[in-house]
Each structure stands twice: as C-alpha cells, then as structure tokens.
Amino acid sequence: MKYQAKLLSAGSWIFGCLTIMLIATNPVVPEASMFNGVGMWVALGIFSVLYVLPMLGKLIKCDYGYYLLTGWLAINMLLYIMAGVPLLFSGGAVGLRVLLGLVTLFGIIDVFFWLPMALVPQQPLQES
C-alpha cells in the first residue's frame, strides 16, 4: 500500500503540473497567454516544492509528511475545480480545452483514490 500511495502522489503532482501548464496555455483572455513565462515557472516551482517537502519528511523519519501531503492533496482538488473556469469560458482552441478537461478529470480521480488511503488507521507513506 505504501508504493500505491507514492504512485498516486506522483500522479497527482504530474496532473497538477499539467493543469498549471494548460491553464497558462489556454487563458480566458487569449492576449494574456503566459505559457513559458516567469509566472508559470514560479507556479510550477512552488507546486513542486509543496510536493517534495512531505516526501523529505519521510527521508528524515519525521511523521509530519503524511499529514502535509494529505492536506496538500485536498487543497490540490481546488486547483482542479478552478481549472474549470478557463475550460468553460475560454475562447481558445477546442483541443486544448478538451485536454485540460481530461487532465483535471484524471487529477480528480487520482485524488479520490488517494484520500481514502489517508483515512485508514495505518499511514501508508510512513510504513517502513
């Protein structure tokens, strides 16, 4: 179960990064496209650091990592829900809108599979 939790965490990180990149590609206002801009890379960096910190807790044998990652995955659900705004109201390419919809759908499914593991008595990310 420990490896399944790590795999779902990595999947959630990948889907979150893809969501940020697709939102930057397909903004509500096409003139404000910031793909490959500084803001997109800063957002990806912060997003990645927030996923790496709980995993570092596991390496130094601290017990906080599991709780941080559980909370971060719950907050990550907000990113997927908020990605629906450009999806619904953008005038961009239909292919990008469909891809953004699929990535956010897979991200939501990933989080829904991960969160029940967080509610079990044993902590899958903290087992040795």
Side-chain angles (χ1 to χ4, degrees):
M1 189 145 110
K2 175 176 80 168
Y3 296 109
Q4 185 180 10
K6 286 184 180 180
L7 183 65
L8 288 172
S9 298
S12 181
W13 172 72
I14 290 170
F15 289 131
C17 287
L18 286 173
T19 301
I20 291 171
M21 290 170 64
L22 287 171
I23 288 173
T25 302
N26 190 19
V28 176
V29 181
E31 294 81 22
S33 179
M34 298 300 285
F35 184 75
N36 205 16
V38 174
M40 183 194 83
W41 290 110
V42 168
L44 286 174
I46 291 171
F47 189 80
S48 297
V49 165
L50 289 174
Y51 266 91
V52 168
L53 285 177
M55 294 300 173
L56 287 178
K58 168 71 170 113
L59 291 176
I60 60 174
K61 304 289 187 212
C62 286
D63 204 20
Y64 76 91
Y66 177 76
Y67 301 111
L68 279 177
L69 191 58
T70 303
W72 178 241
L73 286 172
I75 293 170
N76 194 17
M77 184 68 79
L78 183 63
L79 171 69
Y80 298 134
I81 292 170
M82 291 303 294
V85 173
L87 181 67
L88 294 175
F89 299 112
S90 114
V94 175
L96 287 174
R97 292 170 60 187
V98 169
L99 186 60
L100 179 60
L102 287 174
V103 167
T104 56
L105 179 67
F106 288 143
I108 289 170
I109 291 170
D110 186 275
V111 171
F112 275 133
F113 277 117
W114 201 97
L115 284 177
M117 288 209 274
L119 302 175
V120 296
Q122 62 272 44
Q123 300 170 353
L125 292 180
Q126 300 300 323
E127 294 174 0
S128 297

